[in-house]
Amino acid sequence: MSQGHALYLDVDGLLTHAWVRGSGPPLVIVPGLGCASWMYVRLSRELARSRTVYVYDPPGHGYSQGMRHLPECIEQLTDHLALWLEVAGLKGSPILGHSLGGEVAFDLAARYPAHVGALIACAPTGIPENPSVFAQLIRLLVDLPRERLGLLIPGLRAYAYCGPRRMLKLAQDQDHHYTGPLLPQIKAPTLLIVGTSDPVIRLWTLEAIRKAIPAAYFCEIKGGTHALTDVFPRTVARYTLDYLKAVDQ
């Protein structure tokens, strides 16, 4: 299988990176807080067996440019993603968001409905649960020993590039980014995926999100941790591809 290639596009003055691999209909992966495209290699390889996968780096993440004061809030992440989809010619493509990327995907589907085909949210943050930044940090520390050791160095590299200031700003914005009223507005076909061993995102949270989004589907991965896209890439890919086929995307 092809290793893929880097795609750089000028999006509102910021050079924005995405890693592209595979062939077939497009699918866009949106990373979590502080994460980068290189942390989703295992998942993108599985999906690329039948899709052209674009692993997007948000501003200030991965290989994408950022500014000192951009992004500072989740809505800025969403606005940039919407513009990038237009520039890349991917408007209306299915979106797979992980962790904070799932919350961004919810925001995108509600505020920019024409930009989203189907939506797959893996261990998404957001309403109805918005724990404090301190609580989130504790949960992440609990989760770290459960993740694949091979993800540690790529993850630390991604966090170092993004920087603690930007990550803290975006994490703090979760207290203000109340997506509760937005979730019922989502009309895109939606699949929620959660790991049963994820201490960051609780099962009841995903169940509440499922009830808030019309016709959303919900599935669990037994033993899945917060980084289930890395630990269970084949399972996540299978659920994703089967769902996209079922909704004709």
Side-chain angles (χ1 to χ4, degrees), residues 66-117:
M67 299 175 66
R68 179 172 174 80
H69 299 293
L70 179 70
E72 286 190 322
C73 66
I74 293 168
E75 286 193 353
Q76 289 176 343
L77 289 175
T78 305
D79 293 341
H80 185 274
L81 173 59
L83 187 55
W84 177 80
L85 288 168
E86 294 177 9
V87 174
L90 295 170
K91 184 177 174 181
S93 297
I95 305 291
L96 188 158
H98 171 242
S99 194
L100 185 70
E103 187 169 350
V104 170
F106 291 150
D107 198 24
L108 182 75
R111 294 173 49 220
Y112 297 89
H115 287 63
V116 180

Side-chain angles (χ1 to χ4, degrees), residues 19-157:
W19 189 259
V20 187
R21 59 164 35 97
S23 60
L27 172 63
V28 176
I29 296 178
V30 181
L33 175 63
C35 297
S37 51
W38 57 75
M39 296 175 67
Y40 296 87
V41 170
R42 286 159 64 88
L43 176 61
S44 65
R45 282 176 177 164
E46 295 297 329
L47 292 168
R49 298 180 187 278
S50 57
R51 289 268 171 172
T52 301
V53 184
Y54 296 78
V55 192
Y56 158 83
D57 277 330
H61 292 65
Y63 294 118
S64 290
Q65 284 185 324
M67 299 175 66
R68 179 172 174 80
H69 299 293
L70 179 70
E72 286 190 322
C73 66
I74 293 168
E75 286 193 353
Q76 289 176 343
L77 289 175
T78 305
D79 293 341
H80 185 274
L81 173 59
L83 187 55
W84 177 80
L85 288 168
E86 294 177 9
V87 174
L90 295 170
K91 184 177 174 181
S93 297
I95 305 291
L96 188 158
H98 171 242
S99 194
L100 185 70
E103 187 169 350
V104 170
F106 291 150
D107 198 24
L108 182 75
R111 294 173 49 220
Y112 297 89
H115 287 63
V116 180
L119 190 159
I120 298 92
C122 297
T125 60
I127 297 303
E129 181 184 67
N130 264 327
S132 68
V133 174
F134 178 75
Q136 291 182 62
L137 177 61
I138 295 299
R139 291 183 183 186
L140 284 170
L141 290 175
V142 170
D143 181 66
L144 282 177
R146 308 180 186 186
E147 302 298 353
R148 189 176 65 91
L149 187 60
L151 186 64
L152 180 60
I153 293 178
L156 291 176
R157 177 185 165 210

